Amino acid sequence: MPTIFRRKTPTVRIGNVRVGSDAPVVVQSMTNTDTADVDSTIKQCIALARAGSELIRVTVNNDDAAKGVPHLVEGLAKIGIHTPIIGDFHYNGHILLKKYPDCAKALAKYRINPGNVSIGRKDDDNFKAMVDVAVENQKPVRIGVNWGSLDQQLLVKMMDENARLAEPKEARDVMTEAMIVSALKSAEIAEKYGLRKDQIILSAKVSGVQDLIDVYRDLAKRTDYVLHLGLTEAGMGAKGVVASTAGLSVLLLDGIGDTIRVSLTPKPNGDRSEEVFVAQQILQSMGIRSFTPQVTACPGCGRTTSTFFQELAERIQTYIREQMPQWKTRYTGVEEMKVAVMGCIVNGPGESKHANIGISLPGTFEEPKAPVFVDGRLMTTLKGDKIVEEFTTILNEYVDNRYAKKTEEPVPVGD
């Protein structure tokens, strides 16, 4: 795996999490509950935190949502969850942050969209009001420019200037430049009003993969602010996963990006935590960070007409993910474990030997036995109806014996 040299940036502290500089790339997510419904939002924050989200953003769009934020943060703290909660503000953030000081204090960071506040017009009082609250409470701010809500006054001005050129640029290039200018000018004004450079994160989100790559490469060349990456409105299912992976991976390989979110559209009543798992998998697949043991499984073919190996792979993968909240507090390095669940003799033994622990299940017409390899050596051969249970026992014993047990309280991610 090639060494990835990250951009040099300040370190932004968001609650107990560090972002930028030499800190690991941080995974974040966002709730889709009504923040005023504190109980439902707490429930979703618990799920996201347990999935591994290191920052959680919530919508603060009205009085009831702002009133609910302190109760949300307090409720999470009571059950031992201290994941920083970020407030997402649009249009009326300057009113809500001033009107509800307990909300402003409880949040770990504010997200401001310069396209939805007064910045760039005759005055920037609304933007200044939000920055003033951030300075007063010593909270970091993400200035998040978005393709779909770009400062129209700035865009029109730049489009007009471009039209007067002898060789006008394409509209796409002007819009990309407008996003970068909006982000950088907003950050400059925020510093003028009292925020330090190590309290500012920038983002410039678009919905197209190549657009995302282009805008962030250009932005990264022109500033050393901490950058948040994400493909906005990535979409649902495979489309959202593939598009986000394609865009984020290229930028991360360039050393661009200090915190990421995968903005997946969930199925109705779907699991919001999926976006956390995808973000983690992007980072882990690239060798940037490790979050959970990786399960290698073959896709199946005519040699594996039985679905048993697929069922075992799914059960083992689910079991490992369910165990990780406990394992990561008890064992050091368990997130780097590799497990192989293979379906026939062609690649089964070889892949199993390469994993920390692996099992090669019998394919069609093969002898009904499953050799288990531990650290490259054949440990035992399983047979009968309890292969899953027996393999799980071997897996648990391996984790307990292989990985050092922690004796101290875990350090918050990023510290």
Side-chain angles (χ1 to χ4, degrees):
M1 192 68 65
T3 301
I4 298 173
F5 295 98
R6 298 255 306 279
R7 296 166 58 248
K8 291 185 178 180
T9 71
T11 300
V12 177
R13 183 169 288 276
I14 306 170
N16 58 9
V17 174
R18 292 186 304 120
V19 179
S21 186
D22 59 347
V25 178
V26 172
V27 171
Q28 62 178 278
S29 60
M30 185 175 183
T31 60
N32 61 357
T33 55
D34 180 357
T35 308
D37 184 348
V38 175
D39 290 340
S40 294
T41 306
I42 285 178
K43 183 178 179 181
Q44 192 169 86
C45 285
I46 292 171
L48 291 170
R50 287 179 175 168
S53 184
E54 295 154 333
L55 301 171
I56 299 175
R57 184 156 46 109
V58 301
T59 297
V60 187
N61 58 334
N62 54 40
D63 292 70
D64 289 338
K67 290 177 185 176
V69 165
H71 301 293
L72 166 65
V73 174
E74 182 182 353
L76 290 169
K78 282 182 178 178
I79 56 176
I81 293 179
H82 302 282
T83 304
I85 302 298
I86 299 162
D88 190 67
F89 295 97
H90 296 272
Y91 308 112
N92 59 354
H94 58 292
I95 297 172
L96 296 176
L97 284 171
K98 286 284 191 181
K99 188 175 180 180
Y100 299 102
D102 288 344
C103 170
K105 292 176 183 176
L107 292 169
K109 187 182 74 165
Y110 313 147
R111 187 275 175 119
I112 304 174
N113 184 338
N116 291 336
V117 295
S118 64
I119 193 166
R121 300 170 191 167
K122 290 184 179 180
D123 61 69
D124 54 15
D125 290 347
N126 296 353
F127 182 79
K128 183 178 186 301
M130 298 181 76
V131 173
D132 285 345
V133 174
V135 172
E136 179 184 349
N137 291 283
Q138 285 301 290
K139 304 289 185 178
V141 165
R142 171 159 73 92
I143 296 173
V145 180
N146 195 297
W147 187 275
S149 52
L150 186 57
D151 181 347
Q152 290 302 300
Q153 193 166 11
L154 173 64
L155 180 59
V156 169
K157 176 177 177 290
M158 293 182 67
M159 286 289 190
D160 288 344
E161 291 173 350
N162 181 65
R164 291 193 291 269
L165 296 175
E167 296 183 9
K169 301 177 182 177
E170 292 184 8
R172 171 189 178 274
D173 296 333
V174 178
M175 185 170 285
T176 298
E177 178 64 14
M179 292 184 69
I180 295 171
V181 169
S182 177
L184 294 178
K185 283 191 173 181
S186 298
E188 180 183 345
I189 293 170
E191 285 198 64
K192 183 180 76 172
Y193 291 146
L195 278 179
R196 302 188 308 272
K197 199 162 194 174
D198 64 357
Q199 293 176 310
I200 297 173
I201 295 176
L202 297 185
S203 68
K205 290 190 173 184
V206 295
S207 55
V209 172
Q210 192 58 56
D211 295 324
L212 182 83
I213 294 169
D214 290 346
V215 73
Y216 272 99
R217 278 178 168 170
D218 201 352
L219 182 60
K221 290 176 183 177
R222 292 157 68 171
T223 184
D224 62 351
Y225 284 111
V226 169
L227 297 181
H228 166 69
L229 299 187
L231 192 70
T232 189
E233 296 103 24
M236 181 180 284
K239 185 269 180 185
V241 172
V242 172
S244 293
T245 303
L248 269 59
S249 296
V250 171
L251 292 169
L252 290 166
L253 283 173
D254 284 348
I256 299 169
D258 305 289
T259 171
I260 66 171
R261 181 193 172 202
V262 174
S263 302
L264 295 181
T265 303
K267 295 178 181 178
N269 301 313
D271 186 358
R272 191 70 167 179
S273 300
E274 182 185 5
E275 67 177 46
V276 180
F277 299 145
V278 173
Q280 290 176 332
Q281 195 60 52
I282 290 171
L283 294 173
Q284 188 149 350
S285 295
M286 297 174 67
I288 294 174
R289 287 188 66 183
S290 294
F291 296 92
T292 188
Q294 298 290 281
V295 178
T296 299
C298 66
C301 66
R303 291 176 175 270
T304 55
T305 53
S306 168
T307 61
F308 182 68
F309 86 94
Q310 297 164 317
E311 295 164 4
L312 177 58
E314 182 180 27
R315 288 175 65 177
I316 292 298
Q317 188 159 290
T318 300
Y319 178 78
I320 288 173
R321 191 166 287 283
E322 289 173 347
Q323 296 305 305
M324 273 307 293
Q326 289 78 38
W327 281 357
K328 69 183 180 182
T329 62
R330 295 178 57 194
Y331 303 105
T332 299
V334 68
E335 65 276 3
E336 297 179 2
M337 180 174 66
K338 292 179 174 58
V339 180
V341 180
M342 303 301 292
C344 79
I345 199 171
V346 173
N347 291 317
E351 285 287 355
S352 296
K353 289 177 184 178
H354 289 308
N356 293 102
I357 178 170
I359 184 170
S360 179
L361 296 163
T364 306
F365 305 125
E366 289 177 14
E367 190 175 351
K369 62 181 183 180
V372 176
F373 295 84
V374 174
D375 291 331
R377 297 179 179 231
L378 177 63
M379 174 190 174
T380 188
T381 299
L382 303 181
K383 301 178 182 179
D385 299 329
K386 295 187 176 180
I387 288 179
V388 176
E389 292 79 3
E390 292 173 358
F391 184 71
T392 302
T393 298
I394 294 171
L395 176 64
N396 285 330
E397 290 175 350
Y398 181 84
V399 170
D400 195 53
N401 294 326
R402 171 66 173 79
Y403 297 99
K405 295 177 177 65
K406 294 181 179 180
T407 57
E408 299 179 356
E409 289 294 316
V411 177
V413 172
D415 279 9

